[in-house]
Each structure stands twice: as structure tokens, then as C-alpha cells.
Amino acid sequence: MASRCPTTRRPFICSSLSVKARGDTCAHCDGGECADREDSMNGREDDDAGLVVLPTPCTAPSYDGWFAMPLQGAIAVASPSASIYARQIADDLGAYGATGWKVVASGGFVTLSIECGLTAGAYRIVCSPETEVRITGGGSEGLRNGVQTFRQILSQTWPMLPRMRMEDEPRFRVRGYMLDVTRGRVPTMAWLRHWVDKLCYYKYNQFQLYFEHTFAYDGMSQVWDGADPITPDQLKELDAYCAARDIELVPAVASFGHQYMALRTTKLRTLGELPEDADRPFSFIERQQHHTFNAGDPRAFATACAMVDDVCAPVNSVQCNIGGDETFDLGRGRSRALARRIGRDELYARWMNAMVAHVRRRDGRVQMWADIALSMPGVMARLPQDVVMLNWDYAPHVNEANVKAIADTGLPQLVCPAVHAWNELIPRVNDAWSNISEMARLGAIHGARGMLVTDWGDFGHINDPRMALPGMIFGSTCAWSPTSDRQETFEAASRLEYGDAHGAIVERMGKVAEQDAWRWEDMVRYLELDDGSGNVNHEVLNTIEGLRDISGAGAALGEARCAYVRMRLANRMPGVIGELKRSLDDLGCALAHAGSRGGTDTSFDDMVNVRLPLALAMEGTLLLNEIGALLASQYVHVDVGDIDARKVADAWSEWSQTYARVWMTVSRRSELWRLQRLFGQVERLLRTMPQ
């Protein structure tokens, strides 16, 4: 019987990704079990039983046999603040069937305590029949970290425990995660709490939410109207939830560039560099490119300060990420004359220093993105020495020169890689590992204070937040130990998060991403290349590498219309559908064999089920690539095999409806309607293709 997608209930990814039956066995397997399957617990009595812990411990634990854990007992805590971690253990045991566990002040089978001799973040775990279970931390965060390691071990061994001793501590003091909640997808509060629990599980200690227009700014309802914004009370609630888990919630606010939605309003449009662009049709591409506050307008600066103050007010952290990245329009519009007189470098430095001074007046500490300062000689020398530079570089092969340049100034820095999920249904996990591990290594060499892993949602945030799990795990692992091993981390992530005893799912996700030739980003550009009149939208064209110079030549040939540029874009679609299908087959097989045991999120609850978005992403990836092949076939000879435009249109319509339902399991409606509008445009393209 073919394995079915748990979201649509259709056979996995049309007919091509069905788990093909051979009697009662999978075509990829032998006798109902995968040929390469190794039961990770077979060696239980001889060694560590293949136990995995993430982040990977810096010091290898010692194991010496096994003993049974009672079905009921007590967890003793030394202080009320540790009760939440005791409750985490008790809840896990309850999920495994041991419901008789309680939290007490002393005398427990499991004891949680704090030891001043351990450094902050460090922990010790001792498990034996004689001492039972002792988890000790260097402060509350260290205790938290030890409990998460114990929970991970327990998820793999219950009802047994290894006789073991483990001591561990992180390499980076700051281990942060930044989530974009502004470019189309605003999560529900339930999801944000769940994600904080997940960050806790993997030992992060800082969480940033990135805002442009999706916060309910006081007196600026035009900015957030219709965006399902996060309110001050909700942010305050989340701050308390984070603090209880030893995670610092740090607000991240675009306070200079990236003001697309704000500067399109009638109230604020005159505060931008290019107010004449305010009435251009909405574009996902243009949202990323322009719309910077006018650096010469005091009203613009006052508005930016008000936005920063509103987001910072509900949280207890003294830190604030004030942005300052990608100020593409600086000195190009209303501040052009001022920029010519004093220089763009000076114009940028004045704005950012004034914003730093504003935050510091309330005893705040400032973080800011480093890209513009790195590109402008002399800017960093003018910044206060306590400003933390957020050095982002998302290339798989990182530029070490930028990490060293900031280190040489004496300014503190966080290295900032990415989970590589934006614009993707299935994240580019191989790029994510290369980017994250290299940034961690360079950060360690050059004395970075820590790491901030970024999770963006460009072009409508089509990427489901659950799909960022591999990158999030890579970040926690490399920030804890920058020398972590790639293969070990991939296998451990597959086991802990997907219940995959083979340890193959994450590796196979990476293979699919490598074969993915027509991505959501390509589809959006294809659609938005039309300016509405059949001519080229040059704002979109200028974002496409290799095609920026063709509009002039096309005009000389009388070929500057949108159809010509679309042809050039579609011609990039290689004939790799067959390889993609095989990679999807392999991933589908691994997903079908993954058990429900081994991770905290393998239930079929819609919000926490990690298989739900993965199955949907697999189906959508194949459909997008079939659409790309069909589009290319309109211009050049591309062998599309048996791909039928009408059938693909029908499947795309069903997939789009399922996508909307899955979106609502973790997100507010927010800008889902914008994606649905593009989904509809894609379907109409397919239905008008010649047979």
C-alpha cells in the first residue's frame, strides 16, 4: 500500500513520490525494514547505545551499564525557580506512561541543584543506582542546560537509564536565535511559546523577534492595520515565558531601512527618501529593496525612536537590536543634497549614533547590524565601544575578513549565520551547515561574544517555521561547540526531532534542496516581472543576477517586453525533475519509516507535528519544479515527459488549499491572503498553457 501524505492524504507527492509497493514492502526496503536500518538501541548493554545529545557535548560522557528508573517517584528542587525544569522532566515521564512523578523540596530520585563552582551555563549529570540522578548547574541557566540533556537521554532510553557521568559547558556565552515575524507570517502566541520551549530544549539563551510593521505601535494604526500585529501585552507575556526558561527576549526593530509598509501609508510616506514610490503596486521583491527613512528629516528620526520605544517597553531586557541594515536609499532621495555635503558615511553615522544615544538614555544596550558600517570606512570608529555589532553573512563560504575587521576595532560582535529556509519549502540544509559551522569557527578564532542564528521570511514567508528545525539545531550545536561534526549532527537531529532511527532524514532533506531548481523565489520573480502593462518591472529585473543588463539590449532589439525577460529566467530551469523525484522518494521513504519515538515533536498534534509541514513541503517542491519545467517549455525545448499542465493545475489548487490550512496551525492569518493571490496567478498560468 502506498504511503500517504499526512496532510492531504494523497499518495506521497503525486505518483512519483509514492512509496512503491512490492508485496507488503517498500521498494527502497527489504522485507519491510530498510536495508540500511540499524536499531540504535541494540548495543544498549555494551556501550552508550548510540545515545545522541544536542548540542554535542564538548567533553565525551562516560557510560557504564544500565539501571531501571522507577515508574513513579519525586524530583527534588533546591529553589522554586527550578520547578519549571522539574516539571519538564515530569511531563516527559508522563508522556512515556509514568504518570506518578511529583515535584518536592528534597529527597527525590532526581535532584536538581546549583553549584557555585561551575561556570555560568555549565552543568554536571551523575546517574547511578547508588546516587540515583543528580543534575547540577552553574546557576539557573546551567541547571536548565543539564535538564535538557537529561530529557534528551530519557527520550531514548526510558524506562532504563545509563549509569553515566557528564560535565559540559558552552563555548559561546551568547547563543541566540532571531525569528522574522514581519514579512508576511505572524506566529500565534501558542506557536511562539512552543518555539521558546524548543529553544530551551536546545540550550539557546537569547531570542529575538524582528519587527517592521507587525507590532501594534501606539498612534500608528495605519502601519499595522490588517497585519495581525503582536500587541504590547502579548510581547510582555512572551517575555515572562522566556525569562522563566532562562532565555532573554531581545526586541529587534527596523529603525532606519526596511520601512516598506510604514512609508506606504498616507500618514508617514513623507518621511521616506522616495515618497513618490509610496503608491507603486505592492511587490514582495520591492519590499526587500527600498524604503529608508529620510536621514535628514527630524520627524523621521522621532518616528523611528517611537517605534523602538514601543517595542522595548514591554520587555525586561536592557538590550535592543536597532537594525540599521540595508539602507539602500540612503542619500538617493530627499537627503541627496545633505549626503553630497557631508557624505553618506557621515549621514549614516549621525543617524545610528543618535539612535544609540536615544536607547542609552533609558540605560539600554544596543545591538546593530554590521553590513552598512562594514561598507563605509570610518563608521565603526565613530560608534560607542559597547555597541554589539551583528555581523551577518549568509554565504556558505563566509568572508573571514569581515569577522576580523570588527574584531580589530575592539567592538563586541555576534556572528550571525542563517538557517537558509527563506523562500524555500524545504530548507537548504547543506548551505545552512556550511554557513553556521564556518561562522562559529571564525567567531571562536576572533573572539566573538556569541552567535545569533537568523530565520528570515522574505517574499511572504512561505517557509513553515517548523522547517527551520535543522538549521536551528545546527546553530545551537555550533554555538556550543564550534568543532562539532557535520555527520554526527545530521544524524542526531534526524533521530531527536523526527524519530528516525536511521538518522537519514536531515541528510536527505539536503539532497532534495540541491535538486530543487525552480524555487518560490523564482516563481515570485517570474510573476512580478510584469509591471502590469506587459513591460518589464525594472525593480524586479535588477534583483536577478545575470539578467540585469539585458533590458537595454532587449530594447534595441525591440524585445524589452516582459515575455523576453521571462524567457531568459525560465531558461535557467535545467532538466533535473528525474533526479528531484528520486531524492524525494528517498526522503519520503525515510519519513515513512521514522517512528513516533525519539523526539518531542513527533505527535500528530497539528501544531507540533514536524512531519506535517515536511510532507506538504515535499509535495509543493515537486509541483513548483513541474511548473518551472512547463514554463521553460513555452520558450525552449524542455522534455517535460508526462507532466500535464491541467493535472498540475488541479494538484496545485489542492496543495494551495492544504497549505492555507497548515499555515493556520502555527500562524495568524496575517498576509496569507497575499500568498493565496500568487497561488491563484500560478494556477491561471497553468490553465492557459497550450496543450
Side-chain angles (χ1 to χ4, degrees):
M1 178 178 180
S3 179
R4 291 183 176 270
C5 167
T7 56
T8 65
R9 307 309 304 163
R10 292 192 294 277
F12 253 133
I13 315 297
C14 305
S15 59
S16 63
L17 198 60
S18 299
V19 178
K20 303 171 182 64
R22 189 171 64 206
D24 291 327
T25 65
C26 167
H28 293 269
C29 307
D30 184 15
E33 293 288 339
C34 283
D36 64 347
R37 180 180 179 90
E38 296 180 4
D39 188 341
S40 63
M41 302 306 289
N42 282 344
R44 163 173 293 188
E45 296 181 1
D46 302 321
D47 52 25
D48 65 359
L51 296 179
V52 294
V53 173
L54 290 172
T56 306
C58 295
T59 304
S62 61
Y63 297 97
D64 183 23
W66 297 85
F67 66 100
M69 193 171 185
L71 293 177
Q72 60 183 7
I75 305 166
V77 296
S79 66
S81 62
S83 296
I84 189 170
Y85 302 128
R87 179 47 53 195
Q88 287 178 336
I89 296 172
D91 288 347
D92 286 353
L93 289 168
Y96 305 145
T99 58
W101 285 79
K102 58 184 179 179
V103 179
V104 298
S106 61
F109 179 86
V110 178
T111 300
L112 310 183
S113 61
I114 291 174
E115 181 181 307
C116 296
L118 295 173
T119 60
Y123 66 88
R124 180 190 308 118
I125 303 175
V126 179
C127 298
S128 74
E130 297 78 26
T131 64
E132 298 175 330
V133 178
R134 300 288 181 265
I135 304 174
T136 308
S140 181
E141 184 191 330
L143 180 60
R144 186 274 310 256
N145 294 337
V147 167
Q148 307 317 307
T149 292
F150 180 70
R151 292 175 64 204
Q152 291 180 16
I153 291 171
L154 198 60
S155 75
Q156 300 164 76
T157 66
W158 169 259
M160 303 295 289
L161 279 179
R163 183 193 292 265
M164 61 168 285
R165 181 184 178 87
M166 176 187 296
E167 292 193 23
D168 198 16
E169 64 180 307
R171 171 62 178 79
F172 284 141
R173 178 70 189 93
V174 178
R175 303 177 306 283
Y177 193 91
M178 191 226 74
L179 178 64
D180 176 357
V181 295
T182 207
R183 291 177 176 169
R185 184 190 291 267
V186 181
T188 64
M189 291 303 294
W191 167 257
L192 287 172
R193 289 190 294 270
H194 169 74
W195 196 243
V196 169
D197 286 335
K198 187 61 65 179
L199 295 175
C200 171
Y201 192 65
Y202 290 111
K203 308 182 180 77
Y204 280 90
N205 60 8
Q206 188 177 119
F207 184 32
Q208 296 194 12
L209 294 184
Y210 172 75
F211 292 103
E212 291 171 11
H213 67 288
T214 52
F215 186 77
Y217 301 107
D218 185 32
M220 302 185 197
S221 60
Q222 278 194 354
V223 173
W224 47 262
D225 184 38
D228 278 342
I230 292 175
T231 67
D233 285 346
Q234 289 169 339
L235 196 59
K236 183 176 182 179
E237 172 196 330
L238 185 65
D239 181 55
Y241 196 85
C242 288
R245 289 151 183 80
D246 287 282
I247 295 174
E248 180 183 11
L249 182 63
V250 175
V253 192
S255 66
F256 202 174
H258 289 300
Q259 296 296 328
Y260 183 72
M261 299 303 288
L263 296 180
R264 288 168 64 84
T265 65
T266 57
K267 183 175 181 178
L268 300 180
R269 65 176 59 197
T270 61
L271 305 183
E273 285 278 3
L274 302 168
E276 57 272 15
D277 285 351
D279 291 322
R280 287 178 60 84
F282 177 89
S283 163
F284 282 121
I285 306 286
E286 290 185 44
R287 177 145 96 178
Q288 299 299 111
Q289 300 303 312
H290 292 296
H291 312 286
T292 302
F293 276 131
N294 176 2
D297 189 337
R299 299 174 304 153
F301 183 74
T303 299
C305 288
M307 296 171 77
V308 169
D309 291 346
D310 281 0
V311 180
C312 289
V315 302
N316 285 309
S317 173
V318 297
Q319 297 197 82
C320 177
N321 173 359
I322 61 173
D325 62 317
E326 297 186 332
T327 50
F328 299 123
D329 293 336
L330 179 67
R332 290 183 55 220
R334 295 300 184 267
S335 69
R336 182 190 299 270
L338 181 59
R340 284 177 176 172
R341 187 167 71 252
I342 67 173
R344 293 180 74 245
D345 295 27
E346 177 66 16
L347 195 60
Y348 181 82
R350 283 186 183 182
W351 178 286
M352 295 307 294
N353 272 322
M355 185 61 70
V356 170
H358 175 77
V359 173
R360 292 173 76 178
R361 275 194 286 273
R362 57 174 179 78
D363 297 324
R365 300 174 187 171
V366 174
Q367 300 178 5
M368 60 175 280
W369 300 114
D371 56 313
I372 302 300
L374 281 166
S375 70
M376 292 181 169
V379 167
M380 277 192 286
R382 293 199 51 194
L383 295 171
Q385 286 299 295
D386 62 348
V387 172
V388 178
M389 304 303 292
L390 302 176
N391 184 13
W392 65 268
D393 186 340
Y394 304 149
H397 303 291
V398 175
N399 182 358
E400 182 177 4
N402 285 345
V403 183
K404 183 178 185 301
I406 296 176
D408 288 346
T409 69
L411 289 167
Q413 69 174 308
L414 302 182
V415 289
C416 303
V419 299
H420 282 262
W422 68 92
N423 297 330
E424 304 286 352
L425 292 174
I426 293 180
R428 302 178 300 281
V429 296
N430 293 329
D431 286 349
W433 174 263
S434 297
N435 177 222
I436 292 169
S437 61
E438 184 67 3
M439 283 293 263
R441 185 183 71 83
L442 293 175
I445 290 172
H446 294 288
R449 181 172 293 181
M451 176 184 285
L452 178 69
V453 181
T454 62
D455 183 355
W456 297 102
D458 305 2
F459 298 3
H461 210 141
I462 197 168
N463 40 304
D464 189 292
R466 288 163 289 194
M467 296 302 294
L469 275 165
M472 185 265 270
I473 291 170
F474 300 164
S476 72
T477 295
C478 293
W480 191 275
S481 176
T483 59
S484 294
D485 180 76
R486 176 190 184 278
Q487 193 60 34
E488 287 180 4
T489 305
F490 275 44
E491 291 179 3
S494 298
R495 290 176 56 183
L496 281 177
E497 279 305 324
Y498 299 94
D500 176 17
H502 304 199
I505 282 181
V506 173
E507 187 76 53
R508 293 181 184 182
M509 287 171 66
K511 184 68 172 178
V512 169
E514 289 179 348
Q515 301 294 343
D516 184 6
W518 189 259
R519 297 170 170 150
W520 177 244
E521 178 178 4
D522 299 308
M523 194 72 252
V524 173
R525 286 197 166 100
Y526 186 93
L527 295 172
E528 290 195 354
L529 272 168
D530 190 336
D531 68 358
S533 64
N535 289 317
V536 174
N537 182 331
H538 289 274
E539 296 287 349
V540 176
L541 176 62
N542 289 336
T543 69
I544 306 176
E545 292 290 339
L547 297 186
R548 296 169 182 168
D549 61 341
I550 70 173
S551 59
L557 298 171
E559 295 176 318
R561 296 185 64 77
C562 179
Y564 174 74
V565 184
R566 280 180 166 176
M567 176 190 74
R568 293 287 300 271
L569 180 62
N571 282 355
R572 295 179 168 189
M573 177 70 192
V576 295
I577 295 294
E579 283 298 317
L580 175 64
K581 288 180 178 180
R582 283 186 283 275
S583 295
L584 284 167
D585 273 343
D586 290 341
L587 178 55
C589 180
L591 186 62
H593 281 291
S596 60
R597 183 73 181 278
T600 58
D601 285 357
T602 52
S603 73
F604 286 93
D605 178 274
D606 275 353
M607 186 180 75
V608 302
N609 179 10
V610 294
R611 304 180 194 193
L612 181 76
L614 178 54
L616 185 68
M618 291 164 66
E619 186 167 11
T621 296
L622 182 60
L623 287 172
L624 275 173
N625 279 263
E626 290 179 336
I627 291 165
L630 287 167
L631 291 173
S633 71
Q634 295 183 103
Y635 306 108
V636 294
H637 176 70
V638 173
D639 183 10
V640 298
D642 60 354
I643 301 175
D644 179 88
R646 301 296 185 274
K647 291 181 180 178
V648 174
D650 291 341
W652 178 256
S653 176
E654 290 184 40
W655 181 88
S656 301
Q657 294 173 49
T658 305
Y659 178 90
R661 181 180 68 79
V662 174
W663 171 292
M664 296 300 293
T665 63
V666 294
S667 307
R668 310 176 196 201
R669 184 162 297 279
S670 35
E671 294 186 38
L672 173 62
W673 65 275
R674 294 192 191 276
L675 289 179
Q676 290 175 309
R677 184 176 63 181
L678 289 191
F679 293 162
Q681 288 180 250
V682 173
E683 183 180 347
R684 286 191 292 276
L685 274 176
L686 293 168
R687 296 200 185 282
T688 56
M689 284 182 180
Q691 291 281 19

